[in-house]
């Protein structure tokens, strides 16, 4: 019986140590992050150095652009979304190639965006002109579809 108790105690200590180290590492990684948040979801942390997720916009910045009646292209995504994980590596380079400033809004970190911008699923790409939504495309699409959408909605 003593061996079982000792064994369980060792396992509990190991899990506690692993949890502590993981949390400490995630906290270190999320320091000075572009989200201006003290803590980030682990899936967001995993994307911090990914070149496809560097053109981020914060909620207050997006609202300011819309209030100023600016033209803005916004990619609403979630790091936890498998369709986003498939779409972003194709869409981000395409936007860059086409010289489109596609801003990225992380809905996992800023959940109010779901309601604020009537997002029903991710990924969602929205074009705003004069601060008002004029076009939207939802879900994974082939790069040719996104290219046509950009030409139709952002180049005019």
């Amino acid at each position: 019986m003593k061996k079982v108790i000792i064994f369980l105690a060792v396992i509990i200590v190991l899990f506690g140590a692993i949890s502590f180290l993981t949390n400490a590492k995630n906290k270190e990684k999320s320091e000075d992050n572009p989200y201006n948040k003290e803590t980030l979801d682990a899936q967001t942390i995993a994307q911090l150095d990914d070149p496809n997720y560097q053109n981020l916009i914060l909620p207050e910045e997006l609202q300011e652009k819309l209030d100023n009646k600016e033209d803005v292209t916004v990619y609403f995504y979630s790091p936890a979304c498998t369709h986003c994980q498939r779409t972003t590596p194709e869409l981000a380079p395409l936007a860059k190639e086409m010289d489109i400033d596609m801003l990225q809004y992380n809905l996992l970190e800023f959940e109010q965006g779901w309601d604020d911008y009537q997002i029903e699923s991710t990924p969602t790409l929205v074009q705003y002109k004069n601060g008002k939504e004029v076009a939207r495309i939802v879900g994974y699409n082939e790069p040719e579809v996104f290219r046509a959408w950009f030409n139709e909605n952002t180049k005019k």
Side-chain angles (χ1 to χ4, degrees), residues 54-114:
Q54 299 303 310
N55 201 20
L56 304 171
I57 189 161
L58 302 178
E60 57 276 3
E61 293 170 339
L62 176 56
Q63 191 56 55
E64 184 179 329
K65 286 182 176 293
L66 297 177
D67 290 346
N68 290 337
K69 300 188 183 321
E70 294 181 34
D71 293 354
V72 186
T73 305
V74 184
Y75 175 59
F76 294 93
Y77 75 99
S78 170
C81 166
T82 56
H83 300 292
C84 299
Q85 293 167 3
R86 184 175 174 203
T87 300
T88 307
E90 295 177 4
L91 185 59
L94 176 64
K96 192 171 189 174
E97 170 194 320
M98 295 181 72
D99 199 29
I100 295 167
D101 185 22
M102 183 184 76
L103 302 173
Q104 299 167 319
Y105 188 108
N106 184 331
L107 290 164
L108 184 61
E109 295 300 331
F110 303 108
E111 293 183 358
Q112 72 271 19
W114 290 97

Side-chain angles (χ1 to χ4, degrees), residues 39-52:
T39 59
L40 297 174
D41 187 276
Q43 291 171 310
T44 297
I45 291 171
Q47 293 179 342
L48 286 175
D49 294 329
D50 188 325
N52 290 316

Side-chain angles (χ1 to χ4, degrees), residues 13-32:
V13 168
L14 284 175
F15 276 112
I18 290 170
S19 175
F20 175 78
L21 290 173
T22 301
N23 287 338
K25 188 171 184 172
N26 283 346
K27 186 173 182 174
E28 179 184 324
K29 282 186 176 180
S30 61
E31 288 177 359
D32 298 324

